[in-house]
């Protein structure tokens, strides 16, 4: 365990050092050397820490995970260097999360003896799980790299005129819609959580919680997602710095009080990504390290108190420690064990669900219980119960996105939907990232890029579908409204 911690410290320092030395001409070469250095050091540590356990299954898992690491990371580096990509390319974040979840963390857990999940031993299914994940990554890379450098033929010239005619209109629309979404979010928290305003805006430090009123209109909770894009739009087009800060802080507080750690992270990263894309720069190694530390502590803080907040209890901040940060971060990658449990259960103990969750229940989820009081629960929950335990099911244990693909259609589901995922990531890059004169497109891209993390670690398409809709739709609505206004103004001017 000590050698893993030593590596993290040394490698991050090395990457920062490499990124900050050398002139601009040598920067790319130094960056390549930094990535290659980290690649081989992690691999070397894996080899050195081979457990030689009396448990043959764990040894075999460790070997397969190590081979998967070398293959997937090597493939990623080839694609990354050959196509001259950068850290804001979708495959960068995707690959780091994916390889960490299905290769690095499993080996880390084996090395430190963290082998049970809700008291159940699941590594018997680890080799299949890692093999399926590796094949899925291969398909993702294939569909992602097809015409990877193709740029859109149509050039967008609308946004330059928007700056001239519609700045105040865009600011007004974004602020008005933000206020509406805030009211709906607060109403939901008061009705469903029984929180008063003081409890909401002080993160449980003050105020109180009364018995909640069960609301059959849970759909209004989705409007809290829209606070993120609307605050980002106002931050671009609004004039008042005080209002900009207020919108960001309140949006962050709403996500934190709801206990949505990675929705809060989407907010922070969206602002950062949009800034760097707008100015045409990339963050330095030191900036990246600072952001990672801030996000790590934010994740730890929210992981520490969200159980109390959701239960309406008073939060005891005196018991918070850095160990809560460590556990909160690593815990989000340990859901690979839930994926192993799904492989154990499907199809041996329960059948595939054949799209009932991803397609049918996505439509069902949006229907309020006020209209359909007997709306059914999500399908396929037996996979968690039979693959792990009833306690894991009741705890609402999450699983990664390929766990859902496997639960629905097996290995073919992983291969097919990983191909779709690769195509989707390539599509948003081509459509939005290359249109550098389109701030609205950059906003959509800046939001979708960190949203990838949430989609990957929470394999629940019905929820993720509406998350994406409520994050992106406000930006597109404002863009459409401003375009209509622009055409009218241009016509009057002529």
């Amino acid at each position: 365990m000590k050698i893993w911690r030593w590596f993290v410290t040394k490698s991050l320092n090395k990457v920062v050092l490499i990124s900050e030395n050398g002139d601009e001409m040598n920067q790319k070469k130094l960056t390549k050397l930094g990535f290659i250095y980290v690649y081989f050091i992690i691999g070397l540590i894996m080899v050195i820490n081979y457990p030689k356990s009396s448990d043959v299954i764990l040894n075999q898992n460790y070997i397969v995970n190590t081979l998967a690491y070398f293959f997937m990371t090597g493939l990623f580096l080839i694609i990354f260097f050959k196509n001259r990509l950068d850290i804001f390319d979708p495959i960068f974040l995707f690959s780091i999360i994916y390889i960490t979840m299905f290769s690095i963390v499993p080996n880390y857990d084996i090395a430190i003896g963290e082998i049970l999940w809700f008291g159940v031993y699941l590594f018997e299914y680890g080799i299949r799980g890692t093999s399926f994940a590796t094949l899925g990554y291969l398909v993702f890379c294939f569909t992602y790299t097809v015409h990877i450098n193709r740029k859109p033929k149509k050039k967008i010239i609308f946004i330059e005129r928007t700056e001239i005619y519609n700045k105040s209109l865009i600011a007004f629309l974004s602020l008005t819609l933000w206020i509406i979404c805030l009211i709906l979010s607060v109403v939901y928290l008061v009705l469903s959580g029984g929180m008063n305003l003081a409890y909401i805006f002080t993160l449980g430090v003050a105020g109180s919680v009364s018995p909640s009123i069960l609301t059959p209109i849970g759909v209004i909770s989705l409007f809290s997602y829209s606070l993120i894009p609307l605050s980002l739009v106002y931050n671009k087009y609004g004039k008042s710095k005080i209002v900009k800060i207020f919108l960001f802080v309140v949006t962050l507080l709403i996500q934190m009080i709801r206990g949505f750690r990675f929705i809060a992270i989407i907010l922070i990263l969206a602002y950062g990504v949009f800034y760097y894309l707008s100015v045409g720069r990339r963050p330095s190694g030191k900036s990246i390290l600072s952001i990672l530390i801030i996000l790590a502590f934010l994740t730890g803080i929210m992981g520490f108190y969200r159980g109390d907040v959701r239960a309406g209890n008073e939060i005891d901040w005196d018991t918070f420690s850095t160990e809560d940060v460590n556990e909160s971060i690593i815990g989000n990658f340990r859901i690979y064990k839930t994926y192993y449990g799904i492989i154990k259960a499907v199809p041996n103990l329960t059948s595939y669900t054949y799209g009932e969750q991803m397609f049918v229940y996505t439509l069902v989820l949006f229907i309020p219980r006020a209209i359909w009081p007997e709306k059914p629960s999500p399908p396929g929950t037996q996979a968690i119960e039979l693959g792990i335990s009833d306690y894991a099911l009741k705890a609402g244990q999450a699983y990664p996105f390929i766990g859902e693909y496997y639960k629905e259609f097996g290995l073919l589901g992983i291969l097919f939907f990983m191909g779709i995922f690769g195509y989707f990531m390539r599509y948003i890059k081509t459509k939005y990232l290359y249109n550098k004169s389109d701030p609205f497109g950059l906003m959509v891209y800046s939001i979708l890029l960190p949203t990838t993390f949430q989609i990957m670690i929470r394999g629940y398409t019905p929820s993720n579908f509406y998350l994406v809709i409520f994050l992106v739709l406000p930006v597109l609505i404002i863009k459409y409204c401003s375009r209509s206004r622009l055409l009218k103004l241009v016509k009057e001017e002529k």
Side-chain angles (χ1 to χ4, degrees):
M1 186 173 180
K2 290 182 179 180
I3 195 168
W4 282 96
R5 290 180 176 176
W6 171 87
F7 159 72
V8 171
T9 304
K10 292 294 182 181
S11 295
L12 287 175
N13 289 337
K14 185 75 173 180
V15 171
V16 171
L17 181 64
I18 288 175
S19 66
E20 293 182 345
N21 285 283
D23 53 31
E24 187 174 352
M25 294 179 61
N26 295 322
Q27 190 68 38
K28 292 183 179 179
K29 292 182 179 179
L30 291 171
T31 301
K32 286 184 180 180
L33 290 175
F35 280 119
I36 293 172
Y37 167 84
V38 174
Y39 171 56
F40 282 109
I41 287 296
I42 294 179
L44 180 61
I45 290 177
M46 284 187 175
V47 173
I48 293 174
N49 279 271
Y50 177 70
K52 297 180 181 179
S53 170
S54 58
D55 189 330
V56 177
I57 294 177
L58 288 181
N59 293 339
Q60 292 173 343
N61 271 269
Y62 196 93
I63 293 172
V64 171
N65 292 336
T66 302
L67 293 175
Y69 164 78
F70 278 110
F71 175 78
M72 290 191 290
T73 309
L75 179 60
F76 160 67
L77 291 178
I78 291 172
I79 295 172
F80 194 78
F81 295 147
K82 182 178 179 181
N83 295 281
R84 299 179 181 179
L85 308 179
D86 62 44
I87 62 172
F88 289 151
D89 193 281
I91 198 173
F92 183 83
L93 178 63
F94 178 91
S95 297
I96 290 178
I97 298 170
Y98 197 89
I99 295 169
T100 301
M101 185 182 303
F102 296 111
S103 179
I104 296 176
V105 172
N107 270 4
Y108 174 77
D109 283 346
I110 292 173
I112 66 173
E114 190 72 36
I115 59 175
L116 299 181
W117 194 236
F118 290 90
V120 181
Y121 182 81
L122 296 166
F123 277 94
E124 296 175 62
Y125 308 91
I127 293 178
R128 288 178 62 196
T130 303
S131 300
F132 293 170
T134 304
L135 290 173
Y137 184 77
L138 180 62
V139 175
F140 170 88
C141 290
F142 175 77
T143 56
Y144 181 81
T145 53
V146 176
H147 304 298
I148 191 169
N149 287 320
R150 186 179 67 181
K151 297 184 179 181
K153 296 180 180 179
K154 295 181 179 180
K155 293 183 179 180
I156 295 179
I157 59 175
F158 154 70
I159 299 302
E160 184 177 351
R161 295 181 178 179
T162 301
E163 294 281 358
I164 298 174
Y165 294 102
N166 293 315
K167 196 169 185 178
S168 59
L169 173 62
I170 294 171
F172 172 78
L173 287 174
S174 59
L175 183 59
T176 302
L177 292 175
W178 185 90
I179 293 173
I180 294 172
C181 290
L182 176 64
I183 293 173
L184 291 173
S185 300
V186 172
V187 167
Y188 176 78
L189 289 171
V190 172
L191 292 180
S192 66
M195 307 174 188
N196 62 20
L197 295 181
Y199 190 92
I200 293 173
F201 293 107
T202 62
L203 296 179
V205 175
S208 60
V209 177
S210 58
S212 61
I213 304 171
L214 295 178
T215 171
I217 317 179
V219 67
I220 64 175
S221 67
L222 298 173
F223 287 93
S224 66
Y225 301 149
S226 296
L227 294 172
I228 296 174
L230 293 171
S231 67
L232 186 60
V233 173
Y234 186 86
N235 186 69
K236 169 66 178 177
Y237 291 99
K239 295 181 179 180
S240 173
K241 291 183 178 180
I242 295 177
V243 175
K244 292 179 181 180
I245 295 172
F246 176 79
L247 264 58
F248 177 83
V249 172
V250 173
T251 300
L252 181 61
L253 286 175
I254 292 296
Q255 308 309 326
M256 292 180 70
I257 199 67
R258 293 198 64 191
F260 291 162
R261 290 175 290 183
F262 292 102
I263 306 302
I265 289 176
I266 289 173
L267 168 67
I268 296 172
L269 289 181
Y271 269 74
V273 172
F274 180 72
Y275 166 76
Y276 281 106
L277 290 179
S278 298
V279 299
R281 290 166 40 204
R282 296 298 180 265
S284 65
K286 185 176 291 185
S287 298
I288 293 174
L289 184 59
S290 300
I291 292 172
L292 289 176
I293 293 173
I294 293 172
L295 293 179
F297 272 93
L298 177 64
T299 302
I301 289 171
M302 295 184 68
F304 168 76
Y305 76 71
R306 68 173 185 165
D308 288 329
V309 167
R310 288 176 174 177
N313 300 328
E314 183 179 353
I315 302 171
D316 184 9
W317 291 102
D318 294 334
T319 60
F320 177 75
S321 67
T322 54
E323 191 61 30
D324 294 294
V325 177
N326 296 334
E327 287 301 317
S328 182
I329 294 173
I330 198 72
N332 286 286
F333 290 100
R334 283 190 171 132
I335 58 174
Y336 73 86
K337 295 178 182 176
T338 311
Y339 164 60
Y340 291 174
I342 292 174
I343 292 178
K344 170 187 173 183
V346 182
N348 296 325
L349 304 177
T350 185
S351 62
Y352 299 113
T353 48
Y354 297 110
E356 289 183 24
Q357 177 169 298
M358 294 180 64
F359 302 115
V360 178
Y361 203 76
T362 297
L363 300 176
V364 171
L365 181 65
F366 197 71
I367 303 175
R369 290 193 181 274
I371 299 175
W372 189 1
E374 297 181 355
K375 184 170 73 171
S377 300
T381 55
Q382 279 189 323
I384 303 296
E385 181 180 7
L386 299 176
I388 306 175
S389 67
D390 180 61
Y391 178 72
L393 174 62
K394 292 179 179 178
Q397 182 53 48
Y399 46 85
F401 63 142
I402 64 172
E404 181 182 43
Y405 303 158
Y406 181 84
K407 182 164 65 89
E408 295 274 62
F409 299 102
L411 175 59
L412 290 179
I414 293 179
L415 300 180
F416 178 79
F417 289 107
M418 284 293 285
I420 295 296
F421 203 93
Y423 175 83
F424 172 74
M425 299 305 290
R426 174 169 63 87
Y427 172 80
I428 65 171
K429 174 186 176 179
T430 304
K431 183 174 179 62
Y432 297 115
L433 183 60
Y434 287 134
N435 295 327
K436 298 185 184 299
S437 62
D438 179 4
F440 290 109
L442 292 182
M443 287 179 200
V444 171
Y445 186 82
S446 301
I447 292 169
L448 288 178
L449 185 63
T451 303
T452 304
F453 197 177
Q454 172 68 15
I455 294 174
M456 293 178 69
I457 65 172
R458 295 294 181 266
Y460 186 50
T461 296
S463 177
N464 289 333
F465 175 80
Y466 293 110
L467 168 65
V468 172
I469 292 296
F470 278 80
L471 284 175
V472 172
L473 194 58
V475 179
L476 299 181
I477 289 175
I478 293 176
K479 179 179 180 178
Y480 174 79
C481 292
S482 62
R483 174 180 292 177
S484 299
R485 179 62 176 165
L486 171 66
L487 294 175
K488 183 178 179 180
L489 287 172
V490 171
K491 185 176 181 180
E492 289 175 355
E493 185 181 27
K494 290 181 179 180

